[in-house]
Structure formats: structure tokens, C-alpha cells
Amino acid sequence: MPSPIPKIILPMSSDSYSHHRSSLLPCNPQRQATKHHSFCTRALDAPQPSDFEVVINDRLKKGKKLNIAIVGFGNFSQTQSFCSDITRTLGVLFFTDTDDLCEEHHEVVLLCTSILSTEAVLRSLPLQKLNKSTLFVDVLSVKEFPRKLFLQILPSKFDVLCTHPMFGPESGKDSWNGLPFVYGKIRIGDEESCISHCYRMVKMSCAKHDKEAAGSQFITHTMGRIMEKFGIESTSINTKGYKTLLNLVKNTSGHSFDLYYGLFVYDKNAMKQLEILDMAFESLKKQLFGHSHDIHRKQLFENA
């Protein structure tokens, strides 16, 4: 049974549903492959005639397909761009050359690169070949970094949307229903955002995202990697809590170290979280040793 078609949330003006033309550029230019993918868009909004979303919706009403470029073909972009019997018939184009990709004049460029490679990839794109008001979207696990990068590199004629789907190949492989999808509108106006039955859309500033993600995602990855180095293994008497730890290791170990390193380097809140974690561990050890010492002293005096 084929998997359900994934959905990419874009600014649109009505509850439209359509298949769109898509192009794919791999992270690794040496990788040669042809993939066929499909994307569906659902949205609800109160638009203005000049809104980007209205223009896109008009194209759909006229039977024109939305042209989306996916730059990168790592774990996450493959999560959003898998093959199925349905999508094979749509003939999505696959590019290994950025010039050829940008000459397709996409309405949306979706960056699915790693954190560490994002700047190099963005600077490598021949932006002069893209149409005015092309919407750039990222899916990085940090948000202040891509926001500054987009504003620094992209001309003002391009729209910018920073997003973070709070799930990955492991945590989102069964279902995306109800999973949070964080977004920050950087340069696409003040209109109300889309809503979808597929994601739980969470509007948030890039700075607030990084602060909260450091206290959740970064710590989650840190604890998972600690447990992995600790050598945690399944036993014949696993408790529910222990199974949770095993799942944590499974979910985090599937990601590259570059992702974890990127979370550390490009989120200024990560170092503080490590310091708090270190202090918490030392405090817990002191509590254990202190309690043990008190009990030992009590036993000695009682025996005396």
C-alpha cells in the first residue's frame, strides 16, 4: 500500500488542493538519480489581491502548476519527497547543476541542506536567473542563522519564510498529524498564515525558536548521544522508562553528527544549555554522595 502524499505548506488564499510541478537538486552533485515526487497544498486565509498567495492561487485556478525547487536530497528532503506509484507519473525533474535548476523559474525554492552547508549552497545559486518574488524557505533546526543569512544574501525582491518541522525521518515516519511545524515570516507581508490538517502550525520568531529549541531539541540530541556513548542496550526486562531511553537513542543516532554540531555552533543558547546540564549532573552527584555519607555516619554512630 503506497504511503500518503506529503504536504508542503505555502501561503495560499483558499482551501485549494492541487498537484504541482517540482524540481530536485541533490546535496551531493555527484549523485545521479531520477526521482518523481508530488506535493499537495492546503490553506485557509483572508487574502489581499496583491498577496503572493493570491497570485499562486490564481495560477492554480487557471490550471497552472506551482513550480517548486527542492535543493538538497538528504534524510529530511527524502522524507518530504518520497516515491510512490502516484508520484511516479508526475515526472519531477532532477538536476545536478544549479544553473539548469534556476532556469526553471520556480515560485518556491525549498532549502533542505545541512546547517553547515547552507551558506555555501545559498551562495552557489545563480539568483539572477530566478523570478522576482521567488519564495525562499528553509527547514533548518536553527532559525536565527538562516534568517540572517537570507537577509544578507538574498535581494529584497525575494520573499523569505523560515520554518522548522519539529520532526524528522524517525519521529515523523508513522504520521505527521498534530506534529508542530514552526514558521517565521521574514519577508512575505503580515497576512495570516496558512493552516493545515497535516501540521500543527506554530508561529514564532526566529530568536524565540532558537531559545526554546536549545532547551528541547538540542538537549534531546545531547542526552541521546550520551546514552549512545554509554552503551545502552535492550534487556529481557525493559521497563517503559528504559524503552523510552532506547527510543531516544534510536531517534537521535539516525541523524548525522553535522546536524548536532550545527545545533551547537549556530544556536547561541546551546552552550548555556550544556553548562546547565553539567551543573545539574554535578548537583545530582553531590546529592547522592552527600545522602550516602549521612546514612553511613548515622549507621556508625548507632553501632557505637
Side-chain angles (χ1 to χ4, degrees), residues 57-94:
N57 192 59
D58 287 343
R59 287 175 57 87
L60 296 176
K61 287 181 178 179
K62 294 176 182 178
K64 296 182 179 179
K65 296 179 180 180
L66 183 62
N67 205 345
I68 304 173
I70 301 177
V71 181
F73 199 50
N75 285 342
F76 190 80
S77 55
Q78 289 182 48
T79 301
Q80 300 203 82
S81 315
F82 53 81
C83 293
S84 71
D85 294 337
I86 299 175
T87 60
R88 290 180 194 279
T89 63
L90 298 179
V92 172
L93 302 176
F94 186 88

Short mmCIF file of all heavy atoms in Angstrom, two decimals, residues 57-94:
data_model
loop_
_atom_site.label_atom_id
_atom_site.label_comp_id
_atom_site.label_asym_id
_atom_site.label_seq_id
_atom_site.Cartn_x
_atom_site.Cartn_y
_atom_site.Cartn_z
N ASN A 57 -2.57 31.23 -6.06
CA ASN A 57 -3.88 30.60 -6.17
C ASN A 57 -4.51 30.85 -7.54
O ASN A 57 -5.18 29.98 -8.10
CB ASN A 57 -4.79 31.11 -5.06
CG ASN A 57 -6.05 30.28 -4.93
OD1 ASN A 57 -6.00 29.08 -4.71
ND2 ASN A 57 -7.20 30.92 -5.10
N ASP A 58 -4.31 32.05 -8.08
CA ASP A 58 -4.82 32.35 -9.41
C ASP A 58 -4.20 31.43 -10.45
O ASP A 58 -4.86 30.99 -11.39
CB ASP A 58 -4.53 33.81 -9.77
CG ASP A 58 -5.44 34.77 -9.01
OD1 ASP A 58 -6.47 34.31 -8.48
OD2 ASP A 58 -5.10 35.97 -8.95
N ARG A 59 -2.91 31.15 -10.27
CA ARG A 59 -2.24 30.23 -11.18
C ARG A 59 -2.89 28.85 -11.13
O ARG A 59 -3.08 28.20 -12.14
CB ARG A 59 -0.75 30.11 -10.85
CG ARG A 59 0.08 31.32 -11.22
CD ARG A 59 1.51 31.14 -10.75
NE ARG A 59 2.09 29.93 -11.30
CZ ARG A 59 2.71 29.86 -12.47
NH1 ARG A 59 2.80 30.92 -13.23
NH2 ARG A 59 3.22 28.70 -12.90
N LEU A 60 -3.22 28.42 -9.92
CA LEU A 60 -3.83 27.10 -9.76
C LEU A 60 -5.23 27.05 -10.38
O LEU A 60 -5.61 26.06 -10.99
CB LEU A 60 -3.89 26.73 -8.27
CG LEU A 60 -2.54 26.56 -7.58
CD1 LEU A 60 -2.76 26.28 -6.10
CD2 LEU A 60 -1.73 25.46 -8.21
N LYS A 61 -6.00 28.14 -10.21
CA LYS A 61 -7.33 28.19 -10.77
C LYS A 61 -7.28 28.13 -12.30
O LYS A 61 -8.20 27.64 -12.94
CB LYS A 61 -8.05 29.45 -10.31
CG LYS A 61 -8.48 29.41 -8.84
CD LYS A 61 -9.20 30.68 -8.47
CE LYS A 61 -9.68 30.62 -7.02
NZ LYS A 61 -10.37 31.88 -6.62
N LYS A 62 -6.21 28.69 -12.86
CA LYS A 62 -6.07 28.69 -14.31
C LYS A 62 -5.44 27.39 -14.81
O LYS A 62 -5.14 27.26 -15.99
CB LYS A 62 -5.19 29.87 -14.73
CG LYS A 62 -5.83 31.22 -14.45
CD LYS A 62 -4.88 32.36 -14.79
CE LYS A 62 -5.52 33.71 -14.46
NZ LYS A 62 -4.59 34.84 -14.74
N GLY A 63 -5.23 26.47 -13.90
CA GLY A 63 -4.68 25.18 -14.30
C GLY A 63 -3.18 25.16 -14.38
O GLY A 63 -2.60 24.18 -14.87
N LYS A 64 -2.51 26.22 -13.93
CA LYS A 64 -1.06 26.26 -13.96
C LYS A 64 -0.49 25.63 -12.70
O LYS A 64 -1.00 25.84 -11.61
CB LYS A 64 -0.57 27.71 -14.09
CG LYS A 64 -0.98 28.37 -15.40
CD LYS A 64 -0.43 29.79 -15.49
CE LYS A 64 -0.83 30.44 -16.80
NZ LYS A 64 -0.31 31.82 -16.90
N LYS A 65 0.57 24.89 -12.85
CA LYS A 65 1.15 24.17 -11.72
C LYS A 65 2.15 25.03 -10.97
O LYS A 65 2.87 25.83 -11.56
CB LYS A 65 1.83 22.89 -12.21
CG LYS A 65 0.86 21.89 -12.82
CD LYS A 65 1.57 20.65 -13.31
CE LYS A 65 0.58 19.66 -13.91
NZ LYS A 65 1.26 18.43 -14.40
N LEU A 66 2.19 24.87 -9.66
CA LEU A 66 3.15 25.57 -8.83
C LEU A 66 4.51 24.91 -9.00
O LEU A 66 4.65 23.69 -8.86
CB LEU A 66 2.72 25.50 -7.36
CG LEU A 66 3.60 26.26 -6.36
CD1 LEU A 66 3.60 27.75 -6.68
CD2 LEU A 66 3.09 26.03 -4.95
N ASN A 67 5.52 25.70 -9.30
CA ASN A 67 6.86 25.19 -9.59
C ASN A 67 7.73 25.31 -8.34
O ASN A 67 8.04 26.41 -7.89
CB ASN A 67 7.47 26.00 -10.74
CG ASN A 67 8.53 25.22 -11.48
OD1 ASN A 67 9.00 24.20 -11.00
ND2 ASN A 67 8.92 25.72 -12.64
N ILE A 68 8.10 24.19 -7.76
CA ILE A 68 8.86 24.15 -6.51
C ILE A 68 10.22 23.51 -6.74
O ILE A 68 10.31 22.45 -7.35
CB ILE A 68 8.12 23.35 -5.42
CG1 ILE A 68 6.71 23.91 -5.19
CG2 ILE A 68 8.90 23.34 -4.11
CD1 ILE A 68 5.87 23.06 -4.27
N ALA A 69 11.27 24.15 -6.25
CA ALA A 69 12.61 23.57 -6.31
C ALA A 69 13.02 23.11 -4.92
O ALA A 69 12.95 23.88 -3.97
CB ALA A 69 13.62 24.60 -6.83
N ILE A 70 13.44 21.86 -4.80
CA ILE A 70 13.95 21.33 -3.54
C ILE A 70 15.45 21.19 -3.69
O ILE A 70 15.93 20.40 -4.49
CB ILE A 70 13.32 19.97 -3.21
CG1 ILE A 70 11.80 20.09 -3.10
CG2 ILE A 70 13.90 19.42 -1.90
CD1 ILE A 70 11.10 18.78 -2.85
N VAL A 71 16.19 21.97 -2.92
CA VAL A 71 17.66 21.96 -3.00
C VAL A 71 18.19 21.09 -1.87
O VAL A 71 18.08 21.45 -0.70
CB VAL A 71 18.23 23.38 -2.91
CG1 VAL A 71 19.75 23.35 -3.02
CG2 VAL A 71 17.64 24.27 -4.00
N GLY A 72 18.76 19.96 -2.22
CA GLY A 72 19.25 19.01 -1.23
C GLY A 72 18.43 17.73 -1.28
O GLY A 72 17.22 17.76 -1.52
N PHE A 73 19.11 16.61 -1.05
CA PHE A 73 18.40 15.33 -1.08
C PHE A 73 18.95 14.43 0.02
O PHE A 73 19.33 13.30 -0.20
CB PHE A 73 18.54 14.66 -2.44
CG PHE A 73 17.52 13.60 -2.70
CD1 PHE A 73 16.17 13.84 -2.48
CD2 PHE A 73 17.90 12.34 -3.15
CE1 PHE A 73 15.22 12.87 -2.71
CE2 PHE A 73 16.96 11.35 -3.39
CZ PHE A 73 15.61 11.61 -3.17
N GLY A 74 18.99 14.98 1.25
CA GLY A 74 19.43 14.21 2.40
C GLY A 74 18.26 13.54 3.08
O GLY A 74 17.20 13.35 2.48
N ASN A 75 18.42 13.20 4.35
CA ASN A 75 17.37 12.47 5.07
C ASN A 75 16.05 13.20 5.11
O ASN A 75 14.99 12.63 4.88
CB ASN A 75 17.84 12.18 6.51
CG ASN A 75 18.86 11.07 6.56
OD1 ASN A 75 19.00 10.30 5.63
ND2 ASN A 75 19.60 11.01 7.65
N PHE A 76 16.11 14.52 5.40
CA PHE A 76 14.85 15.22 5.57
C PHE A 76 14.14 15.46 4.26
O PHE A 76 12.93 15.28 4.15
CB PHE A 76 15.04 16.55 6.29
CG PHE A 76 13.73 17.17 6.68
CD1 PHE A 76 13.07 16.72 7.83
CD2 PHE A 76 13.12 18.12 5.90
CE1 PHE A 76 11.83 17.24 8.17
CE2 PHE A 76 11.88 18.64 6.24
CZ PHE A 76 11.24 18.20 7.39
N SER A 77 14.87 15.88 3.23
CA SER A 77 14.21 16.13 1.94
C SER A 77 13.66 14.84 1.36
O SER A 77 12.64 14.84 0.67
CB SER A 77 15.17 16.79 0.95
OG SER A 77 16.35 16.03 0.80
N GLN A 78 14.30 13.72 1.63
CA GLN A 78 13.75 12.45 1.18
C GLN A 78 12.48 12.12 1.95
O GLN A 78 11.57 11.49 1.42
CB GLN A 78 14.77 11.33 1.34
CG GLN A 78 15.93 11.43 0.36
CD GLN A 78 16.90 10.27 0.50
OE1 GLN A 78 16.50 9.13 0.56
NE2 GLN A 78 18.18 10.60 0.56
N THR A 79 12.42 12.57 3.22
CA THR A 79 11.20 12.37 3.99
C THR A 79 10.04 13.10 3.31
O THR A 79 8.93 12.61 3.24
CB THR A 79 11.37 12.92 5.42
OG1 THR A 79 12.45 12.25 6.04
CG2 THR A 79 10.10 12.71 6.24
N GLN A 80 10.30 14.30 2.79
CA GLN A 80 9.25 15.09 2.16
C GLN A 80 9.08 14.74 0.68
O GLN A 80 8.17 15.23 0.04
CB GLN A 80 9.58 16.58 2.29
CG GLN A 80 9.71 17.06 3.71
CD GLN A 80 9.49 18.54 3.83
OE1 GLN A 80 8.37 19.01 3.88
NE2 GLN A 80 10.56 19.29 3.85
N SER A 81 9.95 13.95 0.13
CA SER A 81 9.94 13.76 -1.32
C SER A 81 10.07 12.30 -1.71
O SER A 81 10.89 11.95 -2.56
CB SER A 81 11.10 14.55 -1.91
OG SER A 81 11.18 15.83 -1.39
N PHE A 82 9.33 11.42 -1.07
CA PHE A 82 9.50 10.01 -1.37
C PHE A 82 8.72 9.61 -2.62
O PHE A 82 7.81 10.30 -3.07
CB PHE A 82 9.07 9.14 -0.18
CG PHE A 82 7.69 9.44 0.31
CD1 PHE A 82 6.59 8.90 -0.34
CD2 PHE A 82 7.49 10.26 1.41
CE1 PHE A 82 5.32 9.17 0.11
CE2 PHE A 82 6.23 10.54 1.85
CZ PHE A 82 5.13 10.00 1.21
N CYS A 83 9.10 8.48 -3.18
CA CYS A 83 8.45 7.98 -4.39
C CYS A 83 7.23 7.16 -4.02
O CYS A 83 7.17 6.52 -3.00
CB CYS A 83 9.42 7.13 -5.20
SG CYS A 83 10.79 8.04 -5.88
N SER A 84 6.27 7.16 -4.88
CA SER A 84 5.11 6.29 -4.76
C SER A 84 4.57 6.04 -6.15
O SER A 84 4.96 6.68 -7.11
CB SER A 84 4.03 6.93 -3.87
OG SER A 84 3.43 8.00 -4.56
N ASP A 85 3.66 5.10 -6.25
CA ASP A 85 3.07 4.78 -7.55
C ASP A 85 2.36 5.99 -8.14
O ASP A 85 2.30 6.17 -9.36
CB ASP A 85 2.09 3.61 -7.41
CG ASP A 85 2.78 2.31 -7.03
OD1 ASP A 85 4.00 2.21 -7.30
OD2 ASP A 85 2.12 1.42 -6.48
N ILE A 86 1.82 6.85 -7.26
CA ILE A 86 1.09 8.03 -7.73
C ILE A 86 2.06 9.08 -8.27
O ILE A 86 1.88 9.63 -9.36
CB ILE A 86 0.25 8.63 -6.59
CG1 ILE A 86 -0.78 7.61 -6.11
CG2 ILE A 86 -0.43 9.91 -7.03
CD1 ILE A 86 -1.57 8.06 -4.91
N THR A 87 3.12 9.37 -7.51
CA THR A 87 4.02 10.45 -7.88
C THR A 87 4.94 10.10 -9.05
O THR A 87 5.49 11.00 -9.69
CB THR A 87 4.87 10.87 -6.67
OG1 THR A 87 5.63 9.73 -6.24
CG2 THR A 87 4.01 11.35 -5.54
N ARG A 88 5.11 8.84 -9.34
CA ARG A 88 5.98 8.44 -10.46
C ARG A 88 5.47 9.01 -11.78
O ARG A 88 6.24 9.28 -12.69
CB ARG A 88 6.06 6.91 -10.55
CG ARG A 88 6.84 6.26 -9.42
CD ARG A 88 6.86 4.75 -9.61
NE ARG A 88 7.30 4.06 -8.41
CZ ARG A 88 8.58 3.91 -8.07
NH1 ARG A 88 9.52 4.42 -8.83
NH2 ARG A 88 8.89 3.28 -6.96
N THR A 89 4.17 9.18 -11.88
CA THR A 89 3.58 9.62 -13.14
C THR A 89 3.71 11.13 -13.36
O THR A 89 3.38 11.61 -14.44
CB THR A 89 2.08 9.25 -13.17
OG1 THR A 89 1.41 9.95 -12.12
CG2 THR A 89 1.90 7.76 -12.99
N LEU A 90 4.17 11.88 -12.35
CA LEU A 90 4.20 13.33 -12.46
C LEU A 90 5.48 13.87 -13.10
O LEU A 90 5.56 15.03 -13.42
CB LEU A 90 4.01 13.97 -11.08
CG LEU A 90 2.66 13.65 -10.43
CD1 LEU A 90 2.56 14.31 -9.07
CD2 LEU A 90 1.51 14.10 -11.32
N GLY A 91 6.51 13.03 -13.20
CA GLY A 91 7.73 13.43 -13.90
C GLY A 91 8.47 14.61 -13.29
O GLY A 91 8.78 15.59 -13.97
N VAL A 92 8.77 14.55 -12.01
CA VAL A 92 9.55 15.61 -11.37
C VAL A 92 10.96 15.61 -11.93
O VAL A 92 11.58 14.56 -12.10
CB VAL A 92 9.59 15.39 -9.84
CG1 VAL A 92 10.56 16.36 -9.18
CG2 VAL A 92 8.20 15.56 -9.25
N LEU A 93 11.47 16.80 -12.23
CA LEU A 93 12.80 16.93 -12.82
C LEU A 93 13.88 16.81 -11.76
O LEU A 93 13.70 17.27 -10.62
CB LEU A 93 12.93 18.27 -13.54
CG LEU A 93 11.91 18.54 -14.65
CD1 LEU A 93 12.10 19.95 -15.20
CD2 LEU A 93 12.04 17.51 -15.76
N PHE A 94 15.00 16.23 -12.11
CA PHE A 94 16.12 16.05 -11.19
C PHE A 94 17.34 16.77 -11.79
O PHE A 94 17.71 16.51 -12.93
CB PHE A 94 16.42 14.56 -11.00
CG PHE A 94 17.47 14.28 -9.96
CD1 PHE A 94 17.12 14.13 -8.64
CD2 PHE A 94 18.80 14.16 -10.33
CE1 PHE A 94 18.10 13.86 -7.67
CE2 PHE A 94 19.77 13.90 -9.38
CZ PHE A 94 19.42 13.74 -8.05
#
